[in-house]
Amino acid sequence: MGRMDITVVNHPLAASRLTKMRDKHTNNAGFRSALADLGAMLVYEASRDLEIEEFDTDTPVGTARGTRLKTPPIIVPIIRAGLGMIDPALSMIPDAQVGFIGLARDEETHQPVPYLEALPSDLSGQPVFLVDPMLATGGSLIHAIDLLTGRGADDITCICMVSAQPGVDALEAHGGPIRLVTATIDPELNDQAYIVPGLGDAGDRLYGPRNIEF
């Protein structure tokens, strides 16, 4: 098995937004704003190798060769935290479709529990951007990848703000037609399977806490 293609977006503007998201003093509104900016930057980078087609376009003074995406990707957020990445993705790729995968985390086992799947039945030949701010254990992403490949997906880009090394390793071991675009790879997980140093619970910090203190 070849190594998974991993892109860590190393850019001063991406790093400053990530720092804002990590800061425990950043409120929900500030967190959402930083996530929207960083999400757009990661989608921009993830789109670099999408297939294009060329066409003639008229300028005020002549004709230029224009470019558009041959097959815009389908954006698939893992709900709940992934919802925050839909708008930034669509700001970069307005003609993208959006699908949904809903996974809750069982706090006892830390395993994903599916509750929603709204996707086209056939994803073969269709680029998929699977978006979730956090790659922790990899359980949720792997579950989502299996749902997607079960529908024929053969080109999946996972876009995560913060990835933990154990989750990256799990994703790589799982294999499949996937690559990863992320802003950082953090070293470890704690006993509650939170990324360390990470940024806490992305869903809570986007939409308000569920009995969690920062």
Side-chain angles (χ1 to χ4, degrees):
M1 182 187 74
R3 285 188 65 77
M4 180 172 65
D5 179 13
I6 301 171
T7 301
V8 179
V9 177
N10 182 16
H11 189 286
L13 298 185
S16 70
R17 298 315 192 279
L18 177 62
T19 302
K20 192 85 174 163
M21 292 172 69
R22 287 196 194 273
D23 185 347
K24 70 179 184 180
H25 300 295
T26 299
N27 64 15
N28 291 126
F31 188 90
R32 280 195 295 270
S33 174
L35 184 142
D37 289 347
L38 182 56
M41 294 174 199
L42 295 181
V43 168
Y44 174 91
E45 193 56 46
S47 305
R48 187 177 293 277
D49 296 320
L50 289 175
E51 220 177 323
I52 59 167
E53 57 188 18
E54 292 189 337
F55 61 99
D56 285 337
T57 187
D58 292 329
T59 80
V61 291
T63 302
R65 288 299 280 165
T67 298
R68 62 186 162 222
L69 295 178
K70 188 170 184 181
T71 309
I74 180 169
I75 313 296
V76 180
I78 298 179
I79 299 171
R80 154 176 97 128
L83 287 173
M85 295 174 71
I86 297 174
D87 285 348
L90 291 176
S91 75
M92 290 287 104
I93 312 173
D95 48 354
Q97 301 177 65
V98 180
F100 296 93
I101 294 174
L103 297 174
R105 187 168 93 149
D106 185 314
E107 296 299 338
E108 299 281 314
T109 64
H110 306 310
Q111 293 304 304
V113 181
Y115 65 88
L116 173 69
E117 187 181 341
L119 297 163
S121 55
D122 183 9
L123 289 167
S124 55
Q126 168 67 60
V128 179
F129 283 4
L130 183 59
V131 297
D132 191 358
M134 313 295 284
L135 167 55
T137 63
S140 294
L141 271 184
I142 287 168
H143 194 96
I145 287 162
D146 288 343
L147 286 176
L148 293 167
T149 55
R151 291 172 177 250
D154 48 25
D155 178 7
I156 302 170
T157 301
C158 302
I159 303 177
C160 304
M161 310 273 171
V162 177
S163 304
Q165 190 63 57
V168 174
D169 294 343
L171 214 56
E172 191 155 42
H174 186 69
I178 58 173
R179 64 190 188 110
L180 173 65
V181 176
T182 187
T184 183
I185 299 177
D186 283 4
E188 59 189 0
L189 300 169
N190 67 13
D191 293 342
Q192 286 78 48
Y194 282 94
I195 301 172
V196 180
L199 47 74
D201 184 297
D204 290 345
R205 299 197 63 191
L206 276 167
Y207 303 119
R210 301 161 303 170
N211 304 320
I212 281 193
E213 291 182 16
F214 290 100

